[in-house]
Amino acid sequence: MQQHRVRRHRRSRYAAATSKPQYPRLAATRLGPTSTPFARLALSHATSVCGDVFVTVALADSLFFSAATSAARLKVLLYLALTMAPFAIVAPFLGPLLDRSRGGRRLIMILCNVLRGVVCLFLAVHIHDLGLYPLALLSLVLAKAQGITKNSLVPSVVNDQSALVLANSRLALLGILGGTVAAPVAGLLLKVFGGDWVLRVGAVVFFAAGFLALGIPRATRVAPGETQAQRDALHAPSIVTAGQAMSFVRGAVGFITFFGAFVLKSEHRSASVFGLLIAASAIGNGLGTVIAAPLRRRVREEWILVGSITVPAVLLVFAARLYGLPALALAAAMVAGSAACGRLAFDSILQRDAHDAVRGRAVARFETRFQLVWVAGGLVAVALPPQGRLGLFFIAIVMLFAGFVYLGAVRHQDAERGVVGPSAPPPDSVVADAQVETREPEAGRREL
C-alpha cells in the first residue's frame, strides 16, 4: 500500500513537471511582420537546408554517380579527407567569437548564407575540374560555421530550458520538410539542365536564407568571460557521457551512408534504388525528429538518448539476419532515426548544462568530434568489401555497445544524484549550475 502511494505521488509530481502547460507559447510560432524570434530562425534554417540539398545533389552526381566504382572510391576518400578540415578551421575561432560578441551570431548566420551562395556560383563553373575540391572545402567550412551558429542561437529564442528539445525538434523537422521539397526540384534540374544549374539555383536559395536571417533578433547581452567553473562545466558527466554516446551514433551514420551507396553501386542498381535508400533515411530522420518532443514530456533527455541508440541497434540485428534490399533500406531508416532523436536529446543536454559563456565553443568542440567520427565511419565503409550482411552486423554491434555503455553511465549518475527512474526531472543542482548568470531580464526573453 505504501509503495502504491509513493508511485502515485511520483507520477503526479512528474506529470506536473513535464505536462503540456510547460509549452504554452509553442503554437505562437507564426510568420510575418510580428513573427516570433524562433520563427525567424526556423525559416532561415529551413531555407538554408534547401540550399544544402542543391549542393549535395550536384556534388553527388559529380563525385559518385558519374564515375566508375574505383574512381568513385578515390573521389569519395578525397572528399572525406576534406570534410575533416572545416572543423580544424572553424572550431578554434568561431566558438569564442559566438560567446563574446553582441549580435555576432546573427551576423555570422547572414554572412555564411551569402558566402555560400557566392561559392555555389563558382562551383557551377568548376564542377568538372580540380577547382571543385577547394571550393567544396570552403562550402563545408561555411556550412559547419552556420550549423554551430544556429545551435548557439536556440537557447536565446526559447522561454525556458524545458522547451529546448521541442525547439530543436521543430528546427530539425522544418529542415527535413525543406529538404523534402528541395530534393525533387534539384533532381529535376540535374536531369534537365545539369549540375551547374543546380548549383546556380542553390546560390539563389542561399541568398534568400541570408535575407531571412536579417530578422533574427540581436543578442541582448554579451556573455562574460568564462570562469574556471564554467570551463569545468563542459566536463560534467552528463555532457561528457552523452557526447561519447553520440560520437558512436555519428560514426554509424557515416558508415551506413557510404556503405549502402557502395553496396548498391557494386550490385549495379539503378538510380531509383539509390533514391529509395535516401527516402528511407529521410523517413527515419523525420520519425526520430517527431517522437523526440513527446518523449521529453515523459522522460529526461538522457533516457531519450539511451532509447534512441539501443532500440534501433536491436532491430538492426534482425535486419542483418534477413538481409536484402528492404533490410538495407530499413537499416538506413533506423540509423537516421536514431541519429535524429539522439542528436536532439544531446543538443538539449548541452544547451541545458553548458554555461552561456562557453556554449558556442562547446557546440564547436562537439561538432568537431562528431564530424571526425562521421568521417571515420565513412572511411571504414569505403575500406570494407561491399557485403551487406557483414556491414549491418557491424553497425548493430557498434550501436549496441554504445547504448549499453551509456545506459550504465546514466544509471550511475542517477544513483549519485539520488534521481529515481527515467521520468524524474534532472536534479535542481545540475540545472542551477548550468543556469547561473544566464537568465536575461524577463523583457529580454523570447517567445518560441
Side-chain angles (χ1 to χ4, degrees):
M1 185 68 180
Q2 180 67 22
Q3 283 185 329
H4 175 70
R5 192 177 295 115
V6 170
R7 285 198 298 268
R8 185 172 58 185
H9 172 69
R10 287 175 181 167
R11 283 197 298 268
S12 62
R13 181 160 56 94
Y14 300 151
T18 60
S19 60
K20 290 182 181 179
Q22 280 190 341
Y23 311 107
R25 301 289 186 181
L26 293 181
T29 307
R30 55 194 180 276
L31 302 178
T34 59
S35 62
T36 64
F38 177 80
R40 299 167 195 163
L41 174 63
L43 186 58
S44 176
H45 167 65
T47 307
S48 68
V49 170
C50 293
D52 287 333
V53 171
F54 281 91
V55 174
T56 301
V57 168
L59 291 182
D61 178 68
S62 176
L63 297 175
F64 186 78
F65 292 110
S66 61
T69 301
S70 58
R73 285 185 184 276
L74 292 175
K75 289 184 176 182
V76 168
L77 285 172
L78 180 57
Y79 181 77
L80 286 171
L82 286 175
T83 61
M84 292 188 288
F87 287 105
I89 299 170
V90 170
F93 306 105
L94 182 61
L97 176 63
L98 291 176
D99 292 331
R100 297 187 181 183
S101 61
R102 184 187 298 274
R105 301 171 189 183
R106 178 185 64 174
L107 178 61
I108 291 174
M109 282 285 286
I110 297 169
L111 287 177
C112 285
N113 279 299
V114 173
L115 290 175
R116 291 181 75 186
V118 173
V119 170
C120 279
L121 294 177
F122 283 101
L123 271 172
V125 178
H126 297 282
I127 191 170
H128 298 299
D129 59 46
L130 292 178
L132 169 71
Y133 292 99
L135 289 169
L137 172 60
L138 180 56
S139 180
L140 286 169
V141 170
L142 294 170
K144 299 310 177 184
Q146 181 183 330
I148 292 170
T149 306
K150 184 264 296 180
N151 270 354
S152 68
L153 277 167
V154 173
S156 66
V157 294
V158 300
N159 276 332
D160 56 68
Q161 302 298 310
S162 64
L164 284 173
V165 169
L166 187 56
N168 289 322
S169 175
R170 181 166 288 181
L171 283 172
L173 185 59
L174 287 172
I176 293 170
L177 292 175
T180 302
V181 171
V185 177
L188 181 62
L189 286 172
L190 178 66
K191 186 174 182 179
V192 176
F193 298 106
D196 53 342
W197 277 102
V198 175
L199 289 166
R200 291 186 180 101
V201 175
V204 175
V205 175
F206 281 126
F207 291 145
F211 175 77
L212 292 170
L214 289 170
I216 300 173
R218 193 166 179 258
T220 58
R221 59 192 287 270
V222 179
E226 61 178 318
T227 64
Q228 185 60 42
Q230 293 159 5
R231 276 193 295 271
D232 292 341
L234 290 182
H235 302 288
S238 62
I239 295 177
V240 172
T241 55
Q244 291 169 347
M246 271 308 302
S247 295
F248 280 100
V249 177
R250 285 289 291 167
V253 172
F255 178 87
I256 200 69
T257 299
F258 293 97
F259 185 80
F262 277 106
V263 165
L264 296 181
K265 195 172 183 65
S266 67
E267 296 175 356
H268 306 289
R269 298 283 188 168
S270 64
S272 60
V273 179
F274 284 92
L276 173 64
L277 205 64
I278 294 171
S281 296
I283 292 171
N285 198 346
L287 289 176
T289 301
V290 168
I291 67 174
L295 283 175
R296 178 57 185 91
R297 296 171 188 163
R298 294 167 176 80
V299 297
R300 301 196 329 266
E301 290 91 342
E302 287 85 352
W303 288 94
I304 295 175
L305 183 53
V306 168
S308 68
I309 300 173
T310 53
V311 173
V314 172
L315 296 176
L316 279 170
V317 174
F318 294 98
R321 184 79 178 93
L322 306 171
Y323 177 73
L325 182 59
L328 188 61
L330 181 62
M334 286 187 292
V335 171
S338 171
C341 189
R343 183 57 193 266
L344 293 173
F346 172 77
D347 285 346
S348 299
I349 292 170
L350 187 60
Q351 291 160 353
R352 181 194 73 195
D353 292 353
H355 192 280
D356 186 62
V358 295
R359 188 176 290 132
R361 67 200 72 187
V363 172
R365 183 179 305 171
F366 281 104
E367 284 289 347
T368 302
R369 179 187 301 177
F370 295 157
Q371 185 68 12
L372 291 176
V373 295
W374 183 87
V375 170
L379 291 174
V380 172
V382 174
L384 282 180
Q387 298 177 2
R389 193 186 303 274
L390 173 65
L392 295 189
F393 268 124
F394 174 77
I395 207 65
I397 291 171
V398 168
M399 291 184 67
L400 280 173
F401 173 79
F404 285 122
V405 169
Y406 185 56
L407 173 62
V410 171
R411 291 177 65 87
H412 178 70
Q413 292 167 24
D414 285 353
E416 287 187 340
R417 299 169 184 164
V419 180
V420 182
S423 297
D428 294 339
S429 59
V430 175
V431 178
D433 290 342
Q435 294 177 349
V436 171
E437 300 177 1
T438 63
R439 291 205 176 270
E440 301 171 359
E442 191 63 31
R445 302 301 294 169
R446 304 299 189 204
E447 284 187 12
L448 186 60

